[in-house]
Amino acid sequence: MTTSLAVEWAKYHIRVNAIAPGPFPTEGAWSRLMPSKQFEEHARDKHPMKRFGQHEELTNLAVFLISDMAEYINGECVVIDGGQWLRGAGEFNDLSMLPKPSGNKWNPLAQKNERILKCTLQCRLCSY
């Protein structure tokens, strides 16, 4: 969408760029993305820069992209993740190391899907 809009609106001197942030601690999302201190430390240790992004760095990039210093930059998606993308990963690759929660809230959904699958298979068998 960024590239398409950048081409379409360039004739009106409107530039369209996107920012693809890596891990930046935020109050709301961080507790969900990093459910434990151990997981947060592991993610930091695996990060190429051994740290997470600071909000000022993200702000500086946005200010630069809307400034006159970047008036010829159009249709770009700028990754700001300290090299994490280049490492070939994202912050969710290690979620499998978390223990499975007891009383999984998704279990009813899995049970419902299993019932639907069984019913579908039985209906198909009955039709033969």
Side-chain angles (χ1 to χ4, degrees):
M1 180 183 282
T2 302
T3 54
S4 175
L5 291 174
V7 170
E8 183 179 338
W9 292 354
K11 62 186 171 193
Y12 304 111
H13 306 287
I14 297 173
R15 297 179 295 116
V16 179
N17 294 296
I19 297 174
F24 281 80
T26 60
E27 189 176 322
W30 200 249
S31 63
R32 292 169 185 89
L33 295 173
M34 302 292 172
S36 71
K37 273 291 185 199
Q38 178 186 8
F39 191 77
E40 184 175 340
E41 289 170 9
H42 175 75
R44 184 181 294 113
D45 289 342
K46 286 191 70 175
H47 192 282
M49 294 183 77
K50 305 295 184 212
R51 70 177 183 89
F52 301 121
Q54 299 172 3
H55 293 276
E56 295 80 23
E57 295 167 319
L58 195 54
T59 304
N60 290 340
L61 174 59
V63 168
F64 169 71
L65 286 174
I66 64 171
S67 76
D68 291 340
M69 293 184 294
E71 66 182 28
Y72 203 59
I73 298 175
N74 192 26
E76 291 299 320
C77 181
V78 181
V79 177
I80 179 169
D81 67 355
Q84 188 175 33
W85 174 257
L86 298 174
R87 183 177 62 91
E91 62 254 33
F92 303 112
N93 288 350
D94 295 324
L95 287 177
S96 61
M97 72 178 249
L98 293 173
K100 287 195 173 196
S102 60
N104 190 345
K105 67 180 179 180
W106 298 108
N107 198 22
L109 182 60
Q111 291 172 354
K112 180 180 177 183
N113 286 341
E114 188 175 323
R115 285 194 305 271
I116 291 171
L117 180 62
K118 284 181 182 177
C119 181
T120 303
L121 290 173
Q122 287 173 352
C123 289
R124 285 186 182 163
L125 289 174
C126 291
S127 66
Y128 287 112

